[in-house]
């Protein structure tokens, strides 16, 4: 069983419509990249137990890669430096996203975090995951889960929380921050897939700001050319958590170990 996880940090437009410096734009293209569900075998990060959150760069002090090419290069290189292993835990990933969202909130930054999880539906820490999701109600965070394949997605539907999500103390989550979408249902219609994936995010974002007493900022006036310029900088950071798919297992040549 494998899962993939992606965190996107989306910044609001800056109050200034001036062009951002090249140095700032360079920072926005740097993305922390993590893996889970494997035993890392990097020279600087060698573990005999399964890790559920480790940098695919192999450097615990520098998980950043640069752009989409950096993501793909780190992913392909890491396949040769890990031993795939279960079980599948969501909670460490959601805790990491929550930690990031909490840091953003503490700094009063206009950033709302979206955690994207691509999964086959397997999960071995359901209650812990539910508790963490419930605890994240007051954080600038949404979670989108995409189900891959035709496995049983009952637990993913429960995490979606449309019928209410209750923690281990029987308390109802303060807001809905999870959306589940089965990929197979929209695999031939990317537009409809995107619409369903993002359908609940605007309401979830509004609910968060309403719950935390934050009012909308004053609207800014700007011409279309400046808006298009700034649009390229809206997505500022990306944390990618990934566990290789079954077809990639043959690329991993690491021997098994206890």
């Amino acid at each position: 069983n494998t899962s993939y996880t992606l965190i996107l940090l989306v910044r609001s437009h800056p109050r200034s419509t001036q062009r951002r410096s090249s140095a700032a734009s360079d920072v926005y293209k740097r993305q922390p990249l993590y893996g889970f569900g494997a035993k890392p075998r990097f020279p600087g990060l060698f573990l005999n137990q399964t890790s559920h959150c480790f940098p695919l760069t192999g450097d615990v002090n520098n998980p950043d890669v640069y752009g989409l090419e950096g993501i793909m290069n780190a992913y392909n290189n890491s396949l040769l430096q890990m031993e795939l292993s279960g079980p599948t835990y969501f909670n460490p990933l959601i805790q990491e996203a929550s930690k990031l969202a909490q840091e953003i909130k503490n700094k009063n930054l206009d950033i709302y975090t979206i955690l994207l999880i691509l999964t086959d539906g397997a999960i071995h820490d359901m209650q812990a995951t539910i508790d963490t999701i419930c605890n994240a109600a007051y954080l600038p965070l949404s979670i989108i889960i995409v189900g891959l394949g035709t496995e049983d997605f009952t637990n993913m539907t429960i995490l979606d929380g449309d019928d209410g999500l209750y923690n281990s103390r029987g308390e109802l989550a303060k807001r809905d921050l999870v959306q589940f979408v089965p990929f197979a249902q929209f695999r031939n219609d990317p537009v409809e897939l995107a619409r369903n994936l993002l359908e609940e995010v605007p309401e979830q974002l509004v609910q968060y700001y309403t719950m935390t007493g934050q009012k909308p900022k004053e609207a800014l006036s700007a011409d279309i050319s400046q808006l298009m310029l700034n649009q390229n900088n809206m997505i500022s950071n990306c944390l990618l958590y990934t566990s290789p798919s079954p077809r990639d297992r043959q690329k991993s040549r690491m021997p098994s170990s206890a």
Side-chain angles (χ1 to χ4, degrees):
N1 292 328
T2 61
S3 300
Y4 303 79
T5 309
L6 176 69
I7 295 182
L8 294 178
L9 303 185
V10 183
R11 292 180 186 265
S12 62
H13 285 294
R15 287 193 176 277
S16 171
T17 58
Q18 297 178 350
R19 182 188 297 270
R20 292 180 178 178
S21 68
S22 59
S25 297
D26 184 72
V27 170
Y28 295 146
K29 293 179 181 178
R30 294 192 176 279
Q31 304 153 357
L33 185 67
Y34 292 86
F36 73 102
K39 299 175 182 178
R41 301 299 199 224
F42 299 98
L45 180 60
F46 193 101
L47 299 177
N48 287 321
Q49 68 271 18
T50 300
S51 175
H52 303 288
C53 187
F54 60 91
L56 286 186
T57 59
D59 185 348
V60 294
N61 297 315
N62 183 23
D64 291 359
V65 297
Y66 190 84
L68 180 59
E69 183 178 359
I71 290 176
M72 296 308 300
N73 287 340
Y75 175 82
N76 289 326
N77 291 335
S78 68
L79 291 176
L80 302 176
Q81 302 184 77
M82 67 174 71
E83 177 189 338
L84 307 184
S85 179
T88 300
Y89 290 160
F90 280 28
N91 191 43
L93 303 176
I94 298 177
Q95 284 185 328
E96 183 68 22
S98 296
K99 176 183 176 182
L100 179 60
Q102 183 66 63
E103 292 174 353
I104 290 169
K105 182 178 180 179
N106 292 344
K107 294 178 181 179
N108 295 317
L109 299 176
D110 289 328
I111 303 176
Y112 191 84
T113 304
I114 299 176
L115 167 62
L116 175 62
I117 304 177
L118 281 72
T119 177
D120 59 7
I123 181 172
H124 299 97
D125 59 348
M126 187 68 173
Q127 190 57 60
T129 296
I130 291 175
D131 287 348
T132 298
I133 291 174
C134 290
N135 291 337
Y138 286 92
L139 296 177
L141 175 67
S142 284
I143 301 172
I144 298 174
I145 302 175
V146 181
L148 302 179
T150 57
E151 301 298 327
D152 183 5
F153 293 116
T154 299
N155 283 331
M156 301 301 103
T157 301
I158 293 175
L159 293 179
D160 187 286
D162 285 346
D163 296 325
L165 194 64
Y166 294 83
N167 64 20
S168 55
R169 298 184 298 275
E171 300 168 339
L172 178 65
K174 299 299 183 181
R175 71 178 177 98
D176 177 15
L177 53 90
V178 179
Q179 167 77 333
F180 168 67
V181 176
F183 176 77
Q185 185 175 339
F186 306 101
R187 64 183 309 154
N188 296 320
D189 192 341
V191 174
E192 191 65 13
L193 173 63
R195 188 187 71 79
N196 278 269
L197 289 175
L198 301 174
E199 184 176 24
E200 295 185 2
V201 172
E203 182 179 353
Q204 291 172 358
L205 185 148
V206 171
Q207 286 179 343
Y208 163 72
Y209 283 111
T210 300
M211 287 175 57
T212 55
Q214 300 183 59
K215 297 181 179 180
K217 294 183 177 179
E218 182 180 354
L220 301 177
S221 59
D223 59 46
I224 296 298
S225 62
Q226 290 292 342
L227 289 176
M228 294 301 292
L229 175 64
N230 288 332
Q231 184 179 21
N232 294 329
N233 290 324
M234 281 191 69
I235 298 179
S236 61
N237 285 303
C238 171
L239 286 180
L240 176 63
Y241 298 91
T242 177
S243 177
S245 64
R247 66 175 176 271
D248 292 325
R249 292 177 182 273
Q250 60 184 357
K251 297 181 181 180
S252 178
R253 299 295 184 231
M254 297 307 302
S256 299
S257 62

